[in-house]
Amino acid sequence: MATGLKLATPSSFPAFPFLPYDIQLNLMQHLYSAIEERKITIVESPTGTGKTLSLLCSSLSWLRDEQERARRGELDANGDELDWVVAQTLDRKRREQEANDLEYVERLKKARKKELLLRKAAKGRVYKRQKVSHEPEEEDQDDSQFLPESDQLLQDEEDNISPAVRALMKKLYKPDDSKSKEEELACTKIYYASRTHSQLSQVLHELRKLKISLAVTVAGIETSENEAVLSGSAKRPISAIDDTTDLVDTVDTRTVSLGSRKQLCVNEKLKAKAGDLDEACRQRLSEKGDRRCQYLPPVDDEVRMLDFRDQVLATPKDIEDLVEAGQNAQTCPYFGARRAIPQAQLVLLPYNLLLQKAARESLGIDLTNQVVIIDEAHNLISTLLSLSTVHLALRTLATSLHQLSIYLSKFRNRLSTTNSLHLKRLIGLLEALSKYATDWGEQQKNAVRPSDGNPSQKSASETSVMTSAELMDRLGQKVQGINFLEVEAYLRKSKIARKISGYCVKELEKAAGQDPVKLSKLSRLASSTPPLHTVESFILALTTASDDGRVTFAMNDGQVEIKYQHLNPSTHFQEVVNAARSVILAGGTMSPISDVTNQLFSTLSEDRFTTFSCGHIIPSSNLQTLILKKGPRGGELQFKYDRRNDQSMIAELGQIIVNFSNIVPGGMVVFVPSYSFLHLVISAWERSGIMDKFRAKKKVFMEPQESSAVEATLRDYSAEILDQSRKSEPVDTSKRPGAILFAVIGAKLSEGLNFTDDLARAVLVVGLPFANLASPELRERMNYVNRLQQSRGSKAAPGMKNAATELYENMCMNAVNQSIGRAIRHRGDWASLVLIDGRYSTPRIRQKLPKWIGEHTMVTETFGEAMKEMSQFYREKRSTVGV
């Protein structure tokens, strides 16, 4: 640790559980430095190099040093001695801080002890499933719960209470939180985001390996703390803790996992009811006595929630652990996790909770001066765009209008003038949008279509694209005067979408009675997104800058669908970048990094931005990368869209795979550009008999389009290979036991799955999966990036094309890079990667491959040369690792 205000980058990281490789040490040093210097950085670290462990170790090591720096109150006095009064003040503050730390440690120890007792008691407890009744409850009889939320902007105009008096009343009736005020002080923290909760559970698994603790670092308890961590007891998952485990004297990094109400709610009766769970939960927050959720402590009972908060922080828990702890403590895990955020040092959360401003505000997340790590960041751009893109079907719009009309008719006499005015304005807007969409749909149905059946022509003719400003012009003069920001603010503050949806579900529930068919339909309706929520999202989207998005009208299965497509991924991400101290985007494959830079950080100053790309931990001899330009018959291999029906090239591809299956041991994964191409070639090979040749060598599997069948296919594929590898008797090498798995680039098997060791001794990538240029959405994105490039007055760098072409190629190569990264998963792994398309040999495409792959790529001019190189590669592996 540095002696001044600036922290020096460590030369070693003792918290790392084993001696790090050089690339791991370099990565940790880079991250530590980036956080300390408040930088934004993109990190590329191939899977199998300990990326997650390195991210955690370096960031938590910095956080430990940062807390020690803050605790000591070091001042940069430029060599001058401190005044004795200042020195005494600092000494007093240090003593107070140490006392607070010791008190906090004791509280966490008590929380662990209580948690163990609750777990023990839970084993002998019999949980009776709550009976679910579809009859209206007493609390549901009062329709006042469906009135808009009241605040200063929505007060009844006849209310004679002045704002000053109202503020005084609010202050007087505010619960006394002086007792917990000191406890709620926030600390510097790390927000660690990934795509799914299963991935975040893996992060917790890696966290338990670290020899580090951040709960306290005061003198006198530091040694015992480290001993506890090294013993490993504090690092066990909750599910592995039994009644004999002694966690009382252990100290851990204060960690909390965040999830939605649906994931964390433990009120079975509430979850089983029809309607919006979020709104039902919010309603019970304002209730008292028996009408309040049994898992929510009363407003005046802070102790119970604070005790549970300490249990949340006492030992790192994933979502399942939180639910179990909440059930044992009979306390809501959703609000317990929220309450733990201020004091947490490590917050684990999925993408959507971090990237959406509304979600952050709902959870009370403040990113100011905090560290943000986004793992699996190769999906970040597509996630940002999808979170801001809204699909609004005409039938959903019609349902929203119908619900609005019923609601206004029912509550007309109970609504304030302000609320009535806003709702009538909203109805006028939706009526105009509905009429325009209906008229547009009728025009499409009556239009003359091309007779040649060209799908791209049909798609273009049935689509209309416009800016949000152009849409407003087409909706008429009544709509042009509406301020969309005011409408969006009203929807957000009044919570009217939830109120209307809740009221309509209640009325439908009454009408359904005990009819099982109607109740089944009601259950499906209640579990879907309320119609007005989608309308609210659409209106919110229209408030963004006009050039950052496009509104599309299209025919989908004979129905009109309105879509707002967001074009600028940096719009909402900029809020994260501006607030955070440091933002780290990390992934196994981030190439081409220029794509992420151009789309997210084009306006960021160079002195705040940095990148880091490391090689793989495997020796270069364990990876062979070949580019195949010609087939066995000498035909050029270029799987362009307009040549996909070329039977001679399909036959060449089949013979290539047959020949490779003769020399590749274990499993061979073949990635193709699309499902349609996969079906095309399989059909052709069945007719020609090539499929029989495949089956004679290896068992053949194909990736299913149904998500539900993917797991079974992968399990059967793995079992076929592993069963062969376990056989002790000699194997007939002429048949080369194993399997072939045909998969689709960008589909289920191309991301997040590990084809370790024998599961993929060869990965073949057929063609380049370029997106369909006839797609209106793609054309708009390409036009947008070109306009952006022109508005900045920038020109394409030497050797590069315009921004649209770069985007088009980068989208393709991002998908390819994810696919080829499936094979090499650890230091001892090895495989051959074959890129089957002559276009991979062009410098523009080759430079978009990951650095650890591109550096050792060989271009083979003939198929014979490729066979020779692969045969030699596998001969060497047979002699060195006994294949």
Side-chain angles (χ1 to χ4, degrees):
M1 169 144 176
T3 56
L5 287 176
K6 184 176 175 60
L7 296 175
T9 302
S11 58
S12 63
F13 290 84
F16 209 68
F18 45 79
L19 184 65
Y21 302 118
D22 289 342
I23 60 173
Q24 292 171 330
L25 179 59
N26 294 338
L27 171 58
M28 289 189 287
Q29 290 176 330
H30 171 83
L31 285 172
Y32 189 103
S33 174
I35 296 173
E36 174 62 15
E37 296 174 8
R38 300 176 177 271
K39 290 185 180 293
I40 311 299
T41 185
I42 299 176
V43 172
E44 184 177 55
S45 177
T47 303
T49 56
K51 169 174 59 71
T52 302
L53 197 59
S54 299
L55 290 172
L56 288 171
C57 183
S58 55
S59 58
L60 292 175
S61 294
W62 174 86
L63 185 58
R64 176 199 58 203
D65 295 344
E66 158 67 13
Q67 291 176 344
E68 182 67 11
R69 171 170 58 183
R71 182 174 290 108
R72 290 180 178 178
E74 290 181 331
L75 299 177
D76 186 1
N78 296 320
D80 297 333
E81 292 187 4
L82 293 174
D83 182 87
W84 70 272
V85 177
V86 176
Q88 278 194 338
T89 302
L90 288 176
D91 186 57
R92 176 176 55 82
K93 288 184 176 180
R94 289 191 191 101
R95 290 196 302 271
E96 291 175 355
Q97 182 63 55
E98 288 185 3
N100 291 335
D101 284 343
L102 289 170
E103 180 184 353
Y104 195 87
V105 169
E106 289 303 316
R107 196 164 76 240
L108 290 184
K109 287 180 180 179
K110 291 179 181 178
R112 285 194 188 88
K113 185 174 182 179
K114 184 173 183 178
E115 185 175 0
L116 288 176
L117 292 174
L118 288 173
R119 285 180 59 82
K120 184 176 181 179
K123 289 184 178 181
R125 187 184 305 150
V126 178
Y127 287 99
K128 293 184 178 180
R129 189 172 185 85
Q130 296 167 317
K131 293 183 178 180
V132 180
S133 172
H134 293 284
E135 296 181 1
E137 298 178 7
E138 179 183 352
E139 61 181 343
D140 289 332
Q141 301 300 322
D142 184 8
D143 287 341
S144 62
Q145 61 180 298
F146 301 118
L147 289 172
E149 295 284 332
S150 60
D151 54 39
Q152 290 187 7
L153 295 177
L154 304 176
Q155 286 292 326
D156 193 327
E157 293 180 353
E158 297 179 359
D159 186 353
N160 293 322
I161 301 177
S162 68
V165 174
R166 197 176 298 117
L168 178 60
M169 291 173 61
K170 184 177 180 182
K171 183 177 181 180
L172 289 174
Y173 287 102
K174 184 177 180 182
D176 181 16
D177 60 349
S178 59
K179 180 180 177 181
S180 61
K181 186 175 181 180
E182 188 69 26
E183 298 174 346
E184 294 295 338
L185 294 177
C187 63
T188 303
K189 60 182 85 303
I190 296 166
Y191 288 93
Y192 196 112
S194 193
R195 287 185 302 163
T196 65
H197 283 292
S198 60
Q199 290 172 330
L200 292 172
S201 295
Q202 289 299 313
V203 173
L204 274 183
H205 177 73
E206 297 298 300
L207 175 66
R208 295 179 181 116
K209 296 178 182 178
L210 292 179
K211 296 180 285 187
I212 191 171
S213 178
L214 301 176
V216 292
T217 54
V218 296
I221 65 170
E222 202 168 41
T223 302
S224 60
E225 167 193 318
N226 288 337
E227 289 173 353
V229 174
L230 286 169
S231 71
S233 60
K235 299 300 180 182
R236 296 186 189 181
I238 294 298
S239 57
I241 299 174
D242 57 31
D243 301 334
T244 62
T245 305
D246 183 13
L247 293 183
V248 177
D249 294 323
T250 63
V251 179
D252 245 326
T253 300
R254 299 196 300 270
T255 305
V256 61
S257 299
L258 302 182
S260 65
R261 282 180 171 87
K262 291 181 180 179
Q263 293 164 322
L264 292 172
C265 180
V266 292
N267 189 329
E268 294 296 332
K269 187 174 182 180
L270 193 63
K271 288 195 294 183
K273 278 181 62 64
D276 184 4
L277 176 63
D278 286 348
E279 180 57 24
C281 176
R282 290 186 182 92
Q283 177 61 30
R284 280 155 180 76
L285 286 176
S286 59
E287 301 289 1
K288 296 180 180 180
D290 294 339
R291 298 172 67 171
R292 186 175 174 86
C293 175
Q294 68 189 77
Y295 296 96
L296 285 173
V299 177
D300 56 353
D301 183 9
E302 278 285 273
V303 176
R304 179 176 156 196
M305 182 56 77
L306 291 177
D307 283 348
F308 184 67
R309 178 205 62 185
D310 289 344
Q311 289 183 43
V312 171
L313 293 173
T315 311
K317 300 173 176 65
D318 60 17
I319 293 298
E320 289 75 17
D321 295 331
L322 273 175
V323 170
E324 181 185 353
Q327 291 171 335
N328 293 342
Q330 294 290 287
T331 307
C332 177
Y334 175 75
F335 285 101
R338 283 180 54 168
R339 198 62 182 269
I341 293 174
Q343 293 188 2
Q345 295 157 321
L346 177 63
V347 180
L348 305 179
L349 69 172
Y351 277 0
N352 60 315
L353 297 185
L354 173 73
L355 300 177
Q356 292 181 301
K357 183 178 180 180
R360 295 197 302 270
E361 291 178 345
S362 174
L363 292 168
I365 292 175
D366 183 4
L367 298 180
T368 303
N369 206 34
Q370 308 293 358
V371 179
V372 175
I373 299 176
I374 300 178
D375 203 355
E376 303 296 328
H378 60 273
N379 289 306
L380 180 59
I381 291 175
S382 59
T383 300
L384 286 165
L385 292 174
S386 65
L387 287 174
S388 303
T389 295
V390 184
H391 295 264
L392 177 62
L394 181 56
R395 64 168 67 92
T396 303
L397 186 58
T399 303
S400 298
L401 259 174
H402 181 63
Q403 292 184 351
L404 261 172
S405 300
I406 293 175
Y407 180 87
L408 189 58
S409 175
K410 168 69 177 178
F411 293 95
R412 186 185 305 276
N413 296 328
R414 301 175 64 180
L415 294 172
S416 69
T417 305
T418 303
N419 278 304
S420 296
L421 180 62
H422 277 297
L423 289 177
K424 289 177 181 177
R425 185 180 298 168
L426 181 59
I427 287 177
L429 170 61
L430 299 190
E431 285 178 340
L433 183 59
S434 179
K435 182 179 185 305
Y436 178 81
T438 302
D439 293 344
W440 182 90
E442 290 299 321
Q443 292 175 4
Q444 297 305 307
K445 292 177 182 178
N446 297 329
V448 178
R449 297 296 172 207
S451 58
D452 60 1
N454 188 314
S456 63
Q457 286 184 323
K458 185 176 181 180
S459 175
S461 63
E462 293 185 359
T463 303
S464 181
V465 182
M466 65 198 76
T467 66
S468 55
E470 290 170 342
L471 174 63
M472 295 303 99
D473 290 338
R474 300 183 188 189
L475 294 184
Q477 292 182 350
K478 291 184 179 180
V479 173
Q480 290 177 12
I482 295 178
N483 186 327
F484 276 76
L485 290 173
E486 288 183 2
V487 175
E488 186 276 325
Y490 171 75
L491 291 170
R492 174 167 40 84
K493 293 176 181 178
S494 67
K495 306 292 190 297
I496 195 65
R498 296 191 180 96
K499 302 295 184 179
I500 293 175
S501 174
Y503 174 73
C504 291
V505 168
K506 175 193 171 184
E507 292 301 304
L508 288 172
E509 199 171 19
K510 283 182 181 179
Q514 298 300 315
D515 188 325
V517 176
K518 291 182 178 179
L519 287 174
S520 177
K521 292 181 179 179
L522 177 62
S523 178
R524 291 195 298 271
L525 174 65
S527 62
S528 60
T529 302
L532 202 55
H533 281 203
T534 306
V535 172
E536 182 178 357
S537 299
F538 184 76
I539 293 174
L540 175 61
L542 295 180
T543 63
T544 58
S546 185
D547 198 47
D548 279 357
R550 289 293 182 270
V551 179
T552 303
F553 286 76
M555 299 299 295
N556 187 4
D557 294 330
Q559 299 293 323
V560 178
E561 182 181 72
I562 312 168
K563 174 183 176 182
Y564 176 84
Q565 177 193 1
H566 201 65
L567 303 172
N568 183 2
S570 68
T571 303
H572 304 295
F573 190 61
Q574 195 63 42
E575 299 170 353
V576 175
V577 173
N578 291 342
R581 175 193 181 100
S582 178
V583 178
I584 295 108
L585 307 187
T589 304
M590 295 297 295
S591 299
I593 291 179
S594 60
D595 183 50
V596 184
T597 305
N598 293 335
Q599 294 199 61
L600 294 181
F601 307 117
S602 58
T603 59
L604 196 68
S605 60
E606 292 185 4
D607 61 342
R608 202 185 171 209
F609 179 74
T610 183
T611 63
F612 180 90
S613 181
C614 65
H616 213 295
I617 57 175
I618 62 168
S620 58
S621 60
N622 278 17
L623 175 67
Q624 179 189 59
T625 307
L626 302 177
I627 294 176
L628 187 58
K629 297 176 67 175
K630 294 183 180 180
R633 302 171 187 171
E636 294 286 341
L637 298 174
Q638 287 199 10
F639 293 90
K640 296 181 178 180
Y641 182 81
D642 56 1
R643 294 188 60 194
R644 67 174 187 166
N645 288 313
D646 187 330
Q647 294 302 309
S648 64
M649 194 161 62
I650 292 175
E652 288 265 38
L653 177 60
Q655 193 58 51
I656 289 171
I657 298 173
V658 168
N659 290 346
F660 285 168
S661 64
N662 286 328
I663 60 175
V664 176
M668 185 165 69
V669 183
V670 182
F671 284 103
V672 297
S674 65
Y675 282 109
S676 61
F677 182 78
L678 176 59
H679 298 154
L680 179 71
V681 296
I682 293 297
S683 178
W685 292 337
E686 290 283 10
R687 291 193 303 269
S688 66
I690 291 181
M691 284 297 294
D692 293 331
K693 295 181 180 180
F694 291 163
R695 297 185 184 108
K697 301 295 181 182
K698 298 176 182 289
K699 190 168 183 177
V700 178
F701 295 86
M702 279 177 283
E703 177 177 357
Q705 288 188 252
E706 303 79 17
S707 299
S708 58
V710 170
E711 184 176 346
T713 300
L714 191 60
R715 183 174 59 248
D716 293 343
Y717 169 76
S718 302
E720 177 68 22
I721 295 170
L722 295 178
D723 287 348
Q724 291 282 357
S725 64
R726 292 192 187 110
K727 289 182 178 179
S728 57
E729 66 271 13
V731 177
D732 182 1
T733 56
S734 64
K735 289 188 177 182
R736 291 290 169 192
I740 301 175
L741 175 61
F742 288 96
V744 176
I745 301 172
K748 296 95 174 171
L749 298 181
S750 64
E751 289 192 35
L753 294 174
N754 298 340
F755 293 107
T756 309
D757 299 325
D758 283 344
L759 295 183
R761 289 307 183 192
V763 172
L764 279 56
V765 180
V766 180
L768 284 89
F770 283 110
N772 183 9
L773 278 173
S775 164
E777 290 83 1
L778 177 59
R779 290 202 306 269
E780 289 302 322
R781 279 204 69 195
M782 294 175 68
N783 291 336
Y784 172 78
V785 295
N786 268 345
R787 289 196 305 272
L788 199 62
Q789 186 181 58
Q790 293 170 3
S791 67
R792 294 170 181 160
S794 57
K795 296 181 180 180
M800 298 180 65
K801 297 184 179 180
N802 60 35
T805 305
E806 284 294 316
L807 173 68
Y808 187 57
E809 291 182 352
N810 289 340
M811 290 172 62
C812 169
M813 291 307 296
N814 275 327
V816 170
N817 290 339
Q818 289 308 310
S819 298
I820 61 181
R822 298 303 94 204
I824 306 295
R825 313 307 286 180
H826 59 83
R827 181 172 176 80
D829 208 353
W830 55 271
S832 179
L833 307 179
V834 186
L835 306 175
I836 306 176
D837 196 304
R839 291 173 292 175
Y840 281 109
S841 63
T842 62
R844 286 180 50 75
I845 298 298
R846 286 186 65 179
Q847 70 180 6
K848 296 179 189 294
L849 291 169
K851 187 177 180 181
W852 63 278
I853 292 177
E855 287 179 342
H856 305 288
T857 299
M858 174 184 293
V859 179
T860 57
E861 298 295 335
T862 65
F863 182 73
E865 183 183 359
M867 284 293 292
K868 178 182 177 181
E869 293 294 333
M870 287 187 70
S871 298
Q872 182 178 346
F873 177 76
Y874 290 112
R875 278 198 303 272
E876 290 176 355
K877 291 307 168 189
R878 280 198 295 271
S879 63
T880 56
V881 297
V883 178

